[in-house]
Amino acid sequence: MDRRTAPESFYEALRRLVEVMGGARVVGHRLRPERSVADARVWLLNCLNDDRQEKLDPEQVLLLLRWGHEAGCHDAMHYVCSTSGYADPAPLTPVDELADLSRKAMAAAQRSEQANRELFARMTAAGLNLEAHS
């Protein structure tokens, strides 16, 4: 995020994100598919207006942040971090996410292998005939 054009409020950052994602008509209906496109648009615009009582719930905000990440718009996440004392986040690319998932899967496989060795050793120590159960 370019600090010279940093949003002045969280709502401004969310409005930027919504615009990048296709506007209130698209995003509102995506968030509230049970509403008509026009009603969902008005609802979302009301939620993103500082002066209106209607607001997004936390799960909807997290969903918008996730969609913003996917769309390459990180203003809202940077705003959250900068106003709450955190360093700017470094968005993960799909390749980064796959590498992380791969590391987790390999670690889980190693733990499973270790557990199997320990189970075999304890069964052997208990005198169980493992070949009879094969």
Side-chain angles (χ1 to χ4, degrees), residues 4-128:
R4 289 176 287 135
T5 62
E8 293 184 18
S9 73
F10 187 54
Y11 293 110
E12 181 184 342
L14 288 177
R15 286 190 296 269
R16 288 183 187 185
L17 185 154
V18 166
E19 285 306 310
V20 166
M21 293 176 49
R25 182 175 299 272
V26 171
V27 177
H29 195 253
R30 194 170 170 194
L31 282 169
R32 300 294 302 267
E34 74 280 3
R35 291 186 174 204
S36 72
V37 173
D39 285 347
R41 175 189 170 275
V42 170
W43 167 80
L44 181 57
L45 291 173
N46 287 339
C47 288
L48 297 178
N49 183 334
D50 306 46
D51 299 325
R52 299 299 293 246
Q53 188 174 8
E54 198 163 13
K55 300 296 176 204
L56 298 168
D57 71 37
E59 293 299 318
Q60 290 167 324
V61 171
L62 290 174
L63 191 54
L64 283 177
L65 292 172
R66 180 66 185 170
W67 291 346
H69 174 270
E70 292 168 1
C73 180
H74 309 290
D75 287 358
M77 194 67 233
H78 286 283
Y79 184 85
V80 168
C81 291
S82 69
T83 58
S84 52
Y86 288 88
D88 277 348
L92 293 176
T93 66
V95 172
D96 295 332
E97 290 175 339
L98 286 174
D100 185 49
L101 186 57
S102 177
R103 281 189 295 275
K104 288 177 182 176
M106 289 175 61
Q110 290 172 345
R111 286 191 304 273
S112 177
E113 187 177 318
Q114 176 62 32
N116 285 336
R117 283 194 300 269
E118 187 176 328
L119 176 63
F120 182 80
R122 288 184 183 196
M123 290 174 75
T124 300
L128 296 174

